[in-house]
Amino acid sequence: MKNIIVLGGGYAGIHLIKSLKNQLKNEIGSSVRIILVDKNPYHFRKVLLFKVVTEEVQIKIPFEHYCSEGIEFMQGEVLNVDSTSKNVELKVENEQVINLPYDYLVIALGSVAKVNSTIPGGISLGDEKSALLIREQINDLIQCAKLIDDKEKQKDALRIAVVGGGITGIETVSELVEWYKNKLGIAGINPEHGEILLLDPKEHLLDIAPLKVCEKLEHKLRDLGVKFIPKTRVREYKENQLHCENGAVYSVRTCIVTNGLSANPLIKKMGLPLSEHNQLIVNDIYCVNGYNNIFAIGDCARVVDRKTNQIDSMTCKEAVPQAQRLGKILTNLLLNRPNKVTHKGFPVKGYGISLGPHEAFVWAQKWGIDFVITGKLGLRIRKMTWDQASLVTNSK
Ligand SMILES: Cc1cc2nc3c(=O)[nH]c(=O)nc-3n(C[C@H](O)[C@H](O)[C@H](O)COP(=O)(O)OP(=O)(O)OC[C@H]3O[C@@H](n4cnc5c(N)ncnc54)[C@H](O)[C@@H]3O)c2cc1C
């Protein structure tokens, strides 16, 4: 019996499990044993984290939802991988450390939110705890601002900044704005006094899109009540002051940082080949360079399309097709079938971005033509992408 161990039940891990389940139906439990390992008992829907800032929302799905038909789940924190003895070192219940042997290993341990050391007072939106802390801080600042009579001082006490205008920054700021203004109204404060800034070093948001698309998105944010401050790199956040490299200073009471992801730092301990951004270097069948039984997909892998040199970015859009292909590749390997499946870069440029609870902005470019869908239809498409990524239907 061959042991396939999948480390990480994020977006890449669950799609790999689904693919293996479909392809290896008759082999699971007889010639193949598949174990999914995660430190949590649930798949965490990271892309919905911004919603936790404003509401009680369930974004954890127990692994029983994915691990049926003979697929096993083991909860444990991966401590290291020993590629010589082919074991995974795992911390399980009661702090016990065990070795889990593998024949084939898939590393899908994802990423963590980048922490910017010059913005120590800022909160990096990376996990549930940080999202709840942001909510708590905003509730507190509203209570404090209630006691301020002077209009300008009250505005300074109510200003919130989101640093980083990527998809996460845009979705967070958009979700916040209506909720925040409502909260201010309920507290008897003029909602206009609560300003929300979005700062980014780039001139335009979504700058991989043509200018007219960027401007349309920026226009939508302005209509929502978000103040986008372009060409502004934040240098430091200290004593409620946001200091920017261009000399601008903003009085800000809550600073939310959404400036990207870095590969899971645990990867560095494994002694496997790493890229300059500390992702595992893999070939076009997701095999870690130099190790024919260790594979890596998702945010922790540096995946390149050999034909176009396109490097996959750290998004679900890339992690999911990687996992689907690896399922087929591993099946071919296990069943001794010739393999023709190799990595290909994502064929369509595009993004779906929710703009608060009522609408979204979807942009796609194909054959040199730009397609933009907004409003409720855009939101329906965005929700569909969230659900497909987590293999659920019609979630809230
Ligand atoms: C706030 C936020 C918003 C985002 N928004 C979007 C978006 O709108 N669209 C988009 O496409 N992408 C978005 N992303 C990026 C997207 O979440 C990632 O690209 C995606 O999660 C990658 O999937 P993955 O399976 O590689 O890693 P992950 O989803 O990070 O999964 C890794 C898994 O490994 C487990 N794990 C980690 N360390 C250990 C350990 N030591 N032991 C055991 N288990 C461990 C984790 O519990 C987790 O289940 C966002 C990311 C963040 C943080």
Side-chain angles (χ1 to χ4, degrees):
M1 173 109 84
K2 296 279 185 212
N3 271 350
I4 304 181
I5 308 292
V6 179
L7 303 182
Y11 296 95
I14 59 167
H15 278 269
L16 175 63
I17 290 295
K18 183 185 175 203
S19 174
L20 289 172
K21 209 161 42 176
N22 289 343
Q23 319 262 342
L24 284 169
K25 252 185 209 129
N26 302 325
E27 312 298 324
I28 298 171
S30 55
S31 63
V32 178
R33 184 176 182 208
I34 301 174
I35 306 177
L36 173 68
V37 175
D38 201 286
K39 60 183 177 185
N40 297 315
Y42 49 78
H43 161 71
F44 188 64
R45 306 182 71 186
K46 229 189 216 183
V47 300
L48 295 177
L49 201 47
F50 67 91
K51 286 197 172 283
V52 179
V53 175
T54 60
E55 59 175 319
E56 298 299 320
V57 56
Q58 186 50 268
I59 61 167
K60 297 170 184 170
I61 303 175
F63 281 120
E64 290 97 79
H65 180 79
Y66 307 99
C67 295
S68 56
E69 294 158 59
I71 308 268
E72 296 169 49
F73 172 68
M74 189 179 281
Q75 187 178 350
E77 185 188 343
V78 177
L79 301 178
N80 213 338
V81 168
D82 183 343
S83 54
T84 312
S85 67
K86 293 205 261 176
N87 272 296
V88 178
E89 196 185 325
L90 208 59
K91 187 157 81 181
V92 291
E93 250 183 329
N94 304 326
E95 304 288 297
Q96 199 192 341
V97 176
I98 60 161
N99 281 321
L100 188 61
Y102 65 84
D103 295 295
Y104 294 100
L105 180 69
V106 180
I107 305 175
L109 289 169
S111 57
V112 293
K114 259 187 205 161
V115 176
N116 191 329
S117 56
T118 61
I119 318 181
I123 308 172
S124 287
L125 182 62
D127 53 20
E128 198 178 18
K129 201 168 136 203
S130 57
L132 292 172
L133 185 63
I134 293 167
R135 195 197 304 169
E136 192 183 300
Q137 214 176 78
I138 295 175
N139 281 329
D140 286 351
L141 74 87
I142 294 174
Q143 292 314 314
C144 294
K146 262 185 7 191
L147 310 171
I148 303 172
D149 293 326
D150 181 83
K151 183 178 155 192
E152 290 311 312
K153 283 190 180 149
Q154 193 181 55
K155 279 186 168 179
D156 279 349
L158 286 170
R159 195 168 294 109
I160 296 174
V162 174
V163 177
I167 308 300
T168 306
I170 300 170
E171 291 195 321
T172 306
V173 91
S174 309
E175 195 75 19
L176 265 178
V177 73
E178 183 185 291
W179 172 81
Y180 188 45
K181 305 261 170 183
N182 274 342
K183 284 231 142 209
L184 292 177
I186 292 165
I189 299 172
N190 180 350
E192 297 308 312
H193 291 185
E195 193 174 41
I196 303 194
L197 314 179
L198 175 65
L199 300 101
D200 196 274
K202 293 190 178 138
E203 191 172 355
H204 289 287
L205 297 171
L206 194 67
D207 70 342
I208 64 155
L211 185 61
K212 62 178 192 302
V213 176
C214 306
E215 285 175 345
K216 192 166 179 170
L217 173 64
E218 287 162 13
H219 192 85
K220 285 256 166 213
L221 282 177
R222 224 175 9 252
D223 285 351
L224 285 175
V226 173
K227 186 168 177 191
F228 170 47
I229 305 178
K231 296 197 275 187
T232 305
R233 186 180 294 279
V234 171
R235 182 166 49 83
E236 192 182 36
Y237 178 56
K238 208 170 156 190
E239 290 157 8
N240 298 327
Q241 303 281 313
L242 206 55
H243 298 268
C244 305
E245 277 183 2
N246 59 11
V249 179
Y250 299 92
S251 247
V252 159
R253 285 308 149 101
T254 289
C255 173
I256 303 164
V257 184
T258 56
N259 62 349
L261 302 169
S262 29
N264 189 328
L266 172 68
I267 303 292
K268 278 195 263 181
K269 276 175 69 180
M270 295 178 178
L272 299 170
L274 293 178
S275 71
E276 57 177 327
H277 296 299
N278 293 317
Q279 286 170 301
L280 291 161
I281 301 177
V282 297
N283 64 15
D284 59 359
I285 57 162
Y286 310 109
C287 196
V288 174
N289 276 8
Y291 297 82
N292 61 8
N293 58 347
I294 305 182
F295 298 80
I297 48 172
D299 285 1
C300 68
R302 183 182 188 272
V303 183
V304 185
D305 182 325
R306 305 277 157 205
K307 279 199 186 128
T308 59
N309 282 331
Q310 183 183 327
I311 302 171
D312 270 11
S313 49
M314 290 164 127
T315 74
C316 298
K317 190 168 91 232
E318 273 91 357
V320 169
Q322 289 172 16
Q324 290 165 338
R325 275 187 220 110
L326 181 57
K328 292 181 188 152
I329 293 166
L330 282 173
T331 304
N332 290 337
L333 203 65
L334 284 155
L335 301 182
N336 287 318
R337 291 193 310 217
N339 176 57
K340 288 191 182 146
V341 182
T342 54
H343 174 72
K344 284 182 192 62
F346 200 75
V348 183
K349 259 194 195 174
Y351 278 102
I353 309 170
S354 71
L355 298 178
H358 313 296
E359 61 172 321
F361 187 94
V362 178
W363 162 68
Q365 192 182 64
K366 184 81 182 162
W367 310 295
I369 305 168
D370 291 289
F371 301 89
V372 174
I373 301 170
T374 55
K376 289 212 180 317
L377 179 59
L379 187 61
R380 224 177 306 151
I381 296 171
R382 184 68 180 124
K383 278 185 172 163
M384 219 168 63
T385 64
W386 287 330
D387 284 356
Q388 279 170 354
S390 288
L391 296 169
V392 290
T393 41
N394 289 325
S395 66
K396 187 178 171 272

